[in-house]
Amino acid sequence: MRIGDAAASAGLTPRALRYYEQEGLLRARRMSSGHREYGPEDVHRLRAVRRLLEAGLTISDVKAFVDVLDMVFPADGEAAGPGPDPGSYDRPGHCPVAEVTARRLAALDERIEGLDEVRSRLADALAHRFGEVFPDRSAAPGADRVARPAARPGATRRSLRTDSSTPTVG
């Protein structure tokens, strides 16, 4: 199938498909006319890549285990392969998928922790400035959304931002 059909079958754009090919995630066959040609196995790989990216991995993450991608993420109806051969990597038990995923999860945990700190500083600064109680994160669903503080009578949006007594939140 041609690039437009393959992209549509995988839920991608032709531009994304070309990018994945450029990044080494896929290798298209070329017809005698020079057009790219894709088969069902290519569409499967594209779907797997799309799902991995949607799950939070990056192109670089996927590139780190592209050589085992089809084995780890088999096409629908096919059994998963035995997984990467531990003996084929530098140290016993090494699995590039597990390592990449563990690194990405650690990075996300670190980012979440940083965002929690920023949220706490912002809520504290607003509570200090406006004397309001802000919801606790452990409260009911949606309670972690901080309501906008009520404006002081006569206060403008600009005066609320530039008031020198407002703590600076970094």
Side-chain angles (χ1 to χ4, degrees):
M1 70 183 83
R2 302 277 261 326
I3 191 167
D5 296 328
S9 294
L12 299 168
T13 64
R15 184 175 182 184
L17 198 154
R18 282 187 208 97
Y19 177 68
Y20 295 167
E21 186 178 345
Q22 177 186 344
E23 290 296 318
L25 299 176
L26 181 72
R27 185 169 302 144
R29 291 167 301 285
R30 296 284 181 160
M31 297 173 17
S32 60
S33 64
H35 290 103
R36 292 172 172 93
E37 182 179 43
Y38 300 94
E41 67 282 357
D42 298 317
V43 172
H44 165 71
R45 177 177 273 216
L46 290 167
R47 286 178 182 153
V49 168
R50 189 192 76 223
R51 285 192 308 267
L52 291 166
L53 296 174
E54 288 172 350
L57 294 180
T58 65
I59 292 285
S60 295
D61 292 336
V62 177
K63 283 171 63 172
F65 58 81
V66 72
D67 56 329
V68 298
L69 188 61
D70 299 324
M71 189 177 0
V72 176
F73 299 97
D76 295 336
E78 292 182 18
D85 175 14
S88 67
Y89 297 98
D90 295 333
R91 55 189 192 278
H94 169 77
C95 173
V97 178
E99 285 192 4
V100 166
T101 304
R103 275 197 313 268
R104 180 59 49 210
L105 288 170
L108 288 170
D109 287 342
E110 187 175 311
R111 190 170 171 196
I112 289 167
E113 186 177 314
L115 289 170
D116 267 346
E117 289 174 17
V118 170
R119 186 211 182 273
S120 292
R121 286 195 310 265
L122 178 59
D124 290 347
L126 290 173
H128 173 75
R129 175 69 178 112
F130 298 105
E132 294 189 18
V133 177
F134 291 91
D136 183 351
R137 291 191 75 122
S138 62
D144 61 338
R145 307 257 194 288
V146 177
R148 290 185 186 188
R152 298 181 308 246
T156 65
R157 195 176 174 114
R158 182 175 172 87
S159 67
L160 287 173
R161 279 190 304 223
T162 58
D163 188 335
S164 63
S165 65
T166 304
T168 304
V169 179

